[in-house]
Amino acid sequence: MLKELKVTDLKKTYGEKDLFDQISFLVHEKDRIGLIGTNGTGKTSLLNIIAGIDSGDGDRQTVFYPTDYRIGYLSQAAEFSDELTVLQAVFQGNSPLIQTVRAYEEALIELGENGEDPDVQKRYAKAEEQMNKEDAWTTDTNAKIILQKLGISELDKKISTLSGGQKKRVSLAQVLIDEPDLLLLDEPTNHLDIDNKEVLENALIDYDGTLLFVSHDRYFINRIATKVVELSENGSKVYLGDYDYYLEKKQEEEEIAELLAQDEPESAPAP
């Protein structure tokens, strides 16, 4: 059964300002949606509502998805405790498999540092037994592939020692390893240098899941998106293509609207 998310007649106001009104669109499985709009149209607010961090106006439900639908969120700021290691940060997911892999990888590092200690050997043996019991080896392998693609190799380093770009990579690794049904990304290329941006793009191109992301980077949207959703004061509109396709269709719409306006009969003078 395909998993999809549905937004229906969503409205959000802050004070007297309408961020958006009557927003409706579908997120199909495997979609890669670029969410665009001018500043103030509520793009981040929409992501927060879909992620369950915020809610729309009123008591009526406006965001629908299956009960087992899992959402991952890469916000603009990497939010990890500085005291965590990279390993602890990237394996923060709540699924039992992720927790089992984290315990195993921690035991493996400890074994490499102090392999003669009987207690360390016991902890490693127990962690390995749990990996076998839960058949978590595929999850571990997939996680290491993701980390390798993102250039993350020193799992015992403290988060406090990382640069902003490195923290963004760790954040991305964490949500990718957790394998959510839908991955939300808010301006993922902000403050990244060219090398980090390329790593991010390649990881997302290879990602097999569903993406909904906000970006002002036209090149990034063209590389990643297969669909564009535009937010405006009039609601939302879906374009089935990348950013260049969106611009082409947007120009056609404006030309048609201009022609229709020219063809409208002038109002009759008042008697």
Side-chain angles (χ1 to χ4, degrees):
M1 179 179 178
L2 293 178
K3 293 184 177 182
E4 63 181 27
L5 179 142
K6 184 178 182 180
V7 177
T8 304
D9 297 333
L10 176 62
K11 178 180 176 66
K12 185 67 177 179
T13 59
Y14 279 110
E16 297 181 356
K17 176 178 174 56
D18 287 336
L19 275 185
F20 41 75
D21 193 7
Q22 305 301 310
I23 296 292
S24 298
F25 61 92
L26 282 172
V27 179
H28 299 287
E29 194 169 330
K30 307 294 186 182
D31 271 352
R32 295 165 176 261
I33 302 174
L35 184 63
I36 66 172
T38 58
N39 290 337
T41 51
K43 298 183 294 295
T44 295
S45 294
L46 177 56
L47 292 188
N48 287 338
I49 291 170
I50 292 174
I53 298 170
D54 199 357
S55 60
D57 294 346
D59 298 328
R60 184 171 56 87
Q61 184 178 0
T62 52
V63 180
F64 304 87
Y65 44 80
T67 54
D68 59 345
Y69 197 81
R70 298 173 59 247
I71 298 175
Y73 191 7
L74 181 66
S75 60
Q76 291 192 38
E79 299 176 356
F80 293 123
S81 168
D82 284 344
E83 296 307 309
L84 291 178
T85 65
V86 171
L87 175 67
Q88 291 168 335
V90 297
F91 287 105
Q92 276 192 337
N94 294 323
S95 74
L97 280 178
I98 294 297
Q99 294 301 313
T100 297
V101 171
R102 171 177 164 174
Y104 171 76
E105 290 294 335
E106 288 177 339
L108 186 61
I109 289 176
E110 195 176 13
L111 186 69
E113 294 174 347
N114 196 12
E116 301 301 320
D117 189 326
D119 290 335
V120 170
Q121 294 173 5
K122 288 179 182 178
R123 281 194 290 273
Y124 174 78
K126 183 178 179 180
E128 186 177 38
E129 179 183 354
Q130 194 65 24
M131 287 285 289
N132 290 327
K133 182 179 178 180
E134 297 188 24
D135 194 20
W137 296 107
T138 299
T139 301
D140 184 49
T141 299
N142 290 341
K144 288 178 177 176
I145 290 172
I146 290 169
L147 293 171
Q148 182 180 18
K149 285 180 179 179
L150 291 171
I152 300 171
S153 56
E154 298 178 272
L155 299 182
D156 56 343
K157 290 188 70 173
K158 292 285 189 180
I159 292 294
S160 59
T161 66
L162 303 183
S163 67
Q166 289 171 326
K167 289 179 181 178
K168 181 64 73 72
R169 291 189 189 189
V170 170
S171 297
L172 180 60
Q174 191 268 316
V175 291
L176 291 178
I177 286 170
D178 202 34
E179 297 183 333
D181 295 294
L182 170 64
L183 176 54
L184 307 174
L185 305 102
D186 192 2
E187 296 288 1
T189 61
N190 272 8
H191 312 301
L192 294 185
D193 59 26
I194 294 175
D195 290 339
N196 276 306
K197 187 182 294 188
E198 185 177 356
V199 169
L200 171 68
E201 289 173 357
N202 290 335
L204 293 178
I205 288 170
D206 291 341
Y207 181 58
D208 196 37
T210 305
L211 300 174
L212 174 60
F213 63 92
V214 172
S215 179
H216 287 92
D217 187 330
R218 171 176 175 172
Y219 175 78
F220 179 78
I221 299 172
N222 271 336
R223 286 262 287 167
I224 306 300
T226 57
K227 183 185 295 185
V228 170
V229 173
E230 180 190 41
L231 295 187
S232 68
E233 294 179 353
N234 299 320
S236 61
K237 188 163 185 178
V238 178
Y239 296 83
L240 302 179
D242 60 14
Y243 192 77
D244 285 344
Y245 177 84
Y246 156 76
L247 288 179
E248 179 185 334
K249 291 301 177 184
K250 193 73 174 173
Q251 183 176 353
E252 289 178 6
E253 290 170 3
E254 291 172 354
E255 291 173 352
I256 291 171
E258 186 176 340
L259 289 173
L260 291 175
Q262 292 173 357
D263 291 341
E264 287 181 358
E266 294 184 6
S267 301

